[in-house]
Amino acid sequence: MTFPDARPIHGDTAHISVGTTLLVFTSSITCQGVLEGGRGFVELTLSDADPEQRRLLERSTNCQWDLRRGGGILYFSPEQEPTQLR
């Protein structure tokens, strides 16, 4: 899928793969392309997560995720550092 632009994409589910663990977040979720210092990255804004899920994301070095709405995939990320998730 193409890199999202600065216009937010709204979904209802995000699947985040951290190693062999799959975290599933459901609620209002936003994905948006951000340019910072000449580099582009995608910012995923999650709803309040289970504290254990947040700790797992904070301890991981790489993750991959997708944003969905109504069961369809809106965006599938390349592998990235989880620091770009907030």
Side-chain angles (χ1 to χ4, degrees):
M1 302 198 156
T2 61
F3 184 81
D5 61 16
R7 188 175 325 148
I9 301 170
H10 301 283
D12 56 26
T13 306
H15 293 177
I16 303 174
S17 297
V18 180
T20 59
T21 302
L22 176 65
L23 306 174
V24 178
F25 296 87
T26 56
S27 71
S28 178
I29 300 168
T30 303
C31 166
Q32 182 172 358
V34 177
L35 293 176
E36 188 174 282
R39 294 179 53 197
F41 64 93
V42 176
E43 183 174 79
L44 180 66
T45 304
L46 301 168
S47 60
D48 289 335
D50 178 299
E52 185 58 36
Q53 290 178 330
R54 286 280 184 193
R55 283 190 287 276
L56 179 61
L57 284 172
E58 290 169 358
R59 290 189 306 258
S60 64
T61 57
N62 289 306
C63 69
Q64 193 166 28
W65 57 272
D66 65 58
L67 178 66
R68 300 168 185 237
R69 182 174 53 224
I73 295 179
L74 300 173
Y75 180 76
F76 189 82
S77 79
E79 192 169 327
Q80 65 185 38
E81 294 180 19
T83 56
Q84 295 171 359
L85 305 176
R86 66 178 179 114

